[in-house]
Amino acid sequence: MAKPKIGVIIGSTREGRFGDKPAEWIADLARETGEFDVEIVDLRDFPLPFFEDPASPAWAPSKSDVARAWQQKVASFDGYIMTAAEYNHSPSGVLKNALDYAYNEWKNKPVAFVGYGGVGGARAVEQLRLIAIELQMAPIRTGVHIVWADYAQIASGEKKFSDMPHLVQSGKDMLNQFAWWVNALKNAREASAQHQEAAE
């Protein structure tokens, strides 16, 4: 039986970004569980225009080829883990834009967050959880929050994530909760699809 496929989305495209480091770390930690097929997704590979469609993708197809490619990529996963930089007490504009450029593809799937920045990115993650609910996703309560002291040591190369037991434990706790929701919602989506097919 195929493992659920998880997308680890790097939520920043800035030059010199930190997001690659937590993305690679949490992807490796997720692979170590043996529960998931994991792929890192870089928003730099999907240079989406600033949202400009005449209607939400919930109601009308996107005109942009990049947007359609993004939607297909989003649809290919059973759940998502997003790195979340905090800019001015909120998530990055590029991540919010990427969320806006899909709708049905996110629906009934779980999402977890690895935040970093001021107060470990907690304010950005809080807002992302609200957005996720509007997109009919299931945001996971447990997250990873990389505060400035840890960020500075990892960014400088002074320490690795594996040198910080509190972050490793947070990551494992998050993935345990995430795995439950991934499997529960995957089973529910499959049962719903079978029910719909039988009714047709």
Side-chain angles (χ1 to χ4, degrees):
M1 189 174 185
K3 295 177 183 178
K5 190 172 182 183
I6 301 306
V8 176
I9 299 172
I10 305 174
S12 172
T13 56
R14 290 177 65 181
E15 182 179 350
R17 68 186 178 187
F18 176 74
D20 304 69
K21 294 181 186 298
E24 290 165 6
W25 167 71
I26 201 65
D28 286 343
L29 208 60
R31 291 185 186 105
E32 287 173 12
T33 69
E35 297 269 354
F36 315 111
D37 177 8
V38 183
E39 178 183 343
I40 293 179
V41 181
D42 194 339
L43 293 181
R44 287 177 176 170
D45 296 332
F46 297 90
L48 294 160
F50 188 76
F51 188 79
E52 58 189 10
D53 284 357
S56 163
W59 310 113
S62 293
K63 295 181 178 181
S64 163
D65 290 340
V66 178
R68 290 195 296 273
W70 169 245
Q71 290 157 6
Q72 289 172 4
K73 176 58 72 175
V74 170
S76 72
F77 297 114
D78 296 302
Y80 316 90
I81 301 171
M82 300 180 184
T83 67
E86 182 166 314
Y87 302 158
N88 300 318
H89 292 202
S90 72
S92 66
V94 70
L95 181 54
K96 175 61 165 65
N97 193 49
L99 285 161
D100 289 340
Y101 258 113
Y103 186 83
N104 295 313
E105 298 81 4
W106 301 118
K107 189 175 177 182
N108 296 331
K109 297 176 184 177
V111 59
F113 300 101
V114 178
Y116 59 92
V119 295
R123 292 165 296 209
V125 169
E126 185 176 53
Q127 292 183 43
L128 286 165
R129 288 188 176 121
L130 293 173
I131 295 164
I133 290 168
E134 180 59 24
L135 293 170
Q136 300 193 57
M137 301 170 78
I140 302 306
R141 178 186 181 277
T142 303
V144 178
H145 298 282
I146 304 166
V147 298
W148 279 119
D150 295 339
Y151 173 105
Q153 293 180 83
I154 294 168
S156 68
E158 181 183 343
K159 286 190 177 181
K160 300 177 181 178
F161 282 96
S162 57
D163 298 324
M164 299 186 173
H166 58 290
L167 292 180
V168 173
Q169 188 60 54
S170 292
K172 289 180 177 179
D173 291 345
M174 183 185 77
L175 289 167
N176 284 339
Q177 191 177 99
F178 183 63
W180 190 93
W181 282 96
V182 168
N183 289 309
L185 291 177
K186 187 174 188 292
N187 291 337
R189 291 195 310 275
E190 290 172 354
S192 180
Q194 290 172 4
H195 179 75
Q196 187 172 350
E197 287 177 7
E200 290 176 352

